[in-house]
Amino acid sequence: MSGGGYRPARADQGLLACRVLEPWLAHLERLHPRGEAGIELGLERVQRVGQELSQDRQCPLIIVGGTNGKGSTCAYLEAIYSLAGYRVGCYTSPHLLCYNERIRVDRRPAGDALICAAFARIEAARQAAGDVPLTYFEFGTLAAMEVFIAQQVEVLILEVGLGGRLDAVNAYMPDCAVVCSIALDHTDWLGSDREAIGFEKAGIFRPGRPAFCADPEPPQSLLAHAEAIAADLQVLGRDFGYFGDSLQWTFWGRDGLRRAGLAPPALRGAGQLRNAAVALAVVESLRPRLPVGMQAVRRGLVETELPGRFQVLPGRPTVVLDVAHNPQAVSGLAERLAELPFAAQTIAVVGMLADKDIAGSLAPLAGRVDHWLLADLDGARGASAKTLAAAVRQHGLGGEVDCLASVASAFQRSAELAGENDRILVFGSFYTVAAVMRNRRDGR
């Protein structure tokens, strides 16, 4: 079996699949008054349609939640189990270029025919259950499970969309659950502090089943909930962890377990060791059901790829793409930037959603950006460039500031401004990174 990590479809394949799926995706958006952006937490709708479908999975299920680190942890697990010879289904969101990216089988986006067939089954079940008004994410989550059951996957990895307790993914019973980190994000839905958010994240834990927390300082609410339901909780630094340097590291777990001489993970950043460590803790906990050799572990960690997560594009000037969109994630981004070779100037292309902590997210880059190219972000939730500019100026983040009408125009302007020894940083949202990816793909 060849290399690990997420392997995207070719651009032409992705475009074709998206065109085939477009009528269905438009239907999903019409089902909810706010389309893809519509958020309506709760499990009752998904459970009603799920009962109509009688979805019967036979393989172990891992649910991965948290504020940041979910995508990386899913990618490590996906690569390790694939390289161990298992047929792996992985569901993540949102996508960057094409919806098919959300539903992967054997590390490849599911084909449009598979997804359309699943959509048709969900629609029939939705109507049979009383015309249940599913959200875009709920419809997609049910469809992903239909694809995975049809493809007879042997390991199933589901990424939580928002929160945990009331997220559609939580309608399924996991064999183990992971909370990667807890930080302030989606506060309108999850609460205004880490204790409230921690309780929501901990909602994916189950009584008597393995649960993992990779946050080095977990909120008391998460610990208390795990204890109240008698989940078998393992916490980073207490029950598992890591030590080492930039050349190699060691994972340690319960009962004196050591996995030494591990190469640094392929994904960049200090936080990636936490994500890799919790992935290994999951692998160890499921080893009786899913045996995995160390060769698969070692290869999986170093061959994992995840587009848009501190992705450094080849060529000059250096272009860095990162979907970071909250203070914790941008702080990590700032740390990783400091590890890159010297750049004469840093030009930032930024677009963000209005419901994010804009000022808090931009603050970690104070004094690190020479020129801000701030873009209006399309859609009902998009923030205006003027809003971003106000945050940059009011908080004294430094650098020149320009406002542009779109991410594409901002990126085009960055290419005009940047010399070969400069750096272009694109961040703030999945939508921002996706717009630049499309721009480069289309040669604009």
Side-chain angles (χ1 to χ4, degrees), residues 170-182:
N170 203 36
Y172 297 107
M173 175 65 75
D175 292 272
C176 71
V178 179
V179 172
C180 299
S181 65
I182 301 98

Side-chain angles (χ1 to χ4, degrees), residues 1-4 78-86 107 296 299-300 303:
M1 192 173 291
S2 59
E78 184 181 18
I80 290 169
Y81 281 119
S82 292
L83 289 165
Y86 295 101
R107 293 166 289 145
R299 285 188 60 195
E303 295 180 16

Side-chain angles (χ1 to χ4, degrees), residues 27 70 166 172 206:
H27 174 66
K70 295 178 293 184
L166 298 176
Y172 297 107
R206 294 295 191 274

Side-chain angles (χ1 to χ4, degrees), residues 315-319 343-347 413-424:
R316 300 176 74 109
T318 300
V319 177
Q345 67 170 337
T346 296
I347 301 168
R413 180 61 177 151
S414 75
E416 296 168 355
L417 291 172
E420 66 173 16
N421 295 320
D422 294 333
R423 175 190 301 140
I424 299 172

